[in-house]
Amino acid sequence: NAGVMQNPRHLVRRRGQEARLRCSPMKGHSHVYWYRQLPEEGLKFMVYLQKENIIDESGMPKERFSAEFPKEGPSILRIQQVVRGDSAAYFCASSPSGQGNNSPLHFGNGTRLTVT
Amino acid sequence: GNSVTQMEGPVTLSEEAFLTINCTYTATGYPSLFWYVQYPGEGLQLLLKATKADDKGSNKGFEATYRKETTSFHLEKGSVQVSDSAVYFCALSGGSSNTGKLIFGQGTTLQVKP
């Protein structure tokens, strides 16, 4: 049973370009969470999605960042016009029910974005 | 809002030493508490969890007890190994806003020397 799959593993972008990060949740999981980990820091929640719906985007920057989880295909985190401060590891996690008490999150190995 | 505070690292120990990593939390309602471990270059793996007061989570020799009276969930291991070297994150979810979203502490790096 494959775990949470994220790609690419490493992504290098120049300032002003767009970054697209993909996440395929575990089989049977319909709840996806995105987190950002800045160097030497903990993970900060960004957004929580179910299929075709954004449930909680309280951690998303107001500009340049967007996320989707379509009916078919992976969840996408999109960063437009990247800046150096966007350099970080972005982790995706999934769960079957969105009820963390009984279904802990399963994390992917992350995408490490470097903006040059 | 909900928050988690961990002791600052790095924590450096010799093999077979006793480990404690402190974690305290602030939350409304009755959250669940977790410890995750992150090995270099990898994602987070669930280490253990506790869902109600006085529960003890345990796995791979690690333990943590949910203490509501002190709002703590300290991680302990009696005898660490070099292979335990990693970053450890304390986290909570649930409480009054149960969307499954995890709130993490800042992480504590553990280095175990042979």
Side-chain angles (χ1 to χ4, degrees), chain B residues 50-96:
Chain B
T51 58
K52 60 183 187 296
D54 299 325
D55 266 3
K56 177 186 283 189
S58 62
N59 185 26
K60 299 180 182 179
F62 291 90
E63 292 183 343
T65 301
Y66 189 147
R67 302 283 188 203
K68 191 167 176 62
E69 64 276 12
T70 54
T71 62
S72 65
F73 193 53
H74 305 321
L75 182 68
E76 297 182 335
K77 186 175 185 182
S79 176
V80 294
Q81 306 300 313
V82 172
S83 58
D84 294 327
S85 298
V87 183
Y88 291 81
F89 292 93
C90 185
L92 69 81
S93 77
S96 59

Side-chain angles (χ1 to χ4, degrees), chain B:
Chain B
N2 295 349
S3 66
V4 176
T5 302
Q6 291 180 234
M7 63 186 287
E8 288 195 21
V11 174
T12 303
L13 296 173
S14 297
E15 208 165 19
E16 299 184 3
F18 184 85
L19 168 71
T20 300
I21 300 178
N22 290 341
C23 171
T24 57
Y25 68 91
T26 302
T28 54
Y30 302 94
S32 291
L33 301 174
F34 305 85
W35 277 100
Y36 279 81
V37 58
Q38 184 181 31
Y39 297 102
E42 297 184 10
L44 277 70
Q45 302 173 27
L46 178 65
L47 182 59
L48 54 85
K49 68 172 184 175
T51 58
K52 60 183 187 296
D54 299 325
D55 266 3
K56 177 186 283 189
S58 62
N59 185 26
K60 299 180 182 179
F62 291 90
E63 292 183 343
T65 301
Y66 189 147
R67 302 283 188 203
K68 191 167 176 62
E69 64 276 12
T70 54
T71 62
S72 65
F73 193 53
H74 305 321
L75 182 68
E76 297 182 335
K77 186 175 185 182
S79 176
V80 294
Q81 306 300 313
V82 172
S83 58
D84 294 327
S85 298
V87 183
Y88 291 81
F89 292 93
C90 185
L92 69 81
S93 77
S96 59
S97 175
N98 191 16
T99 63
K101 177 174 74 177
L102 283 169
I103 305 296
F104 285 93
Q106 69 271 35
T108 302
T109 299
L110 171 65
Q111 299 172 340
V112 180
K113 297 186 175 180

Side-chain angles (χ1 to χ4, degrees), chain A residues 35-104:
Chain A
Y35 287 80
R36 176 165 61 176
Q37 184 178 32
L38 293 168
E40 308 301 324
E41 293 188 16
L43 278 77
K44 302 297 183 186
F45 169 77
M46 299 182 74
V47 62
Y48 163 40
L49 310 103
Q50 294 178 31
K51 285 284 186 181
E52 301 184 280
N53 287 304
I54 296 174
I55 307 303
D56 180 349
E57 57 182 348
S58 58
M60 286 281 269
K62 293 289 184 271
E63 297 176 347
R64 301 189 297 108
F65 285 71
S66 62
E68 63 176 11
F69 189 17
K71 186 176 180 181
E72 301 292 336
S75 175
I76 306 289
L77 180 67
R78 182 181 177 206
I79 311 172
Q80 294 178 290
Q81 299 172 357
V82 295
V83 300
R84 288 213 172 110
D86 297 332
S87 296
Y90 292 82
F91 289 95
C92 171
S94 72
S95 79
S97 70
Q99 296 296 311
N101 292 4
N102 295 316
S103 56

Side-chain angles (χ1 to χ4, degrees), chain A residues 100-112:
Chain A
N101 292 4
N102 295 316
S103 56
L105 302 188
H106 296 262
F107 282 82
N109 284 338
T111 293
R112 280 148 184 86

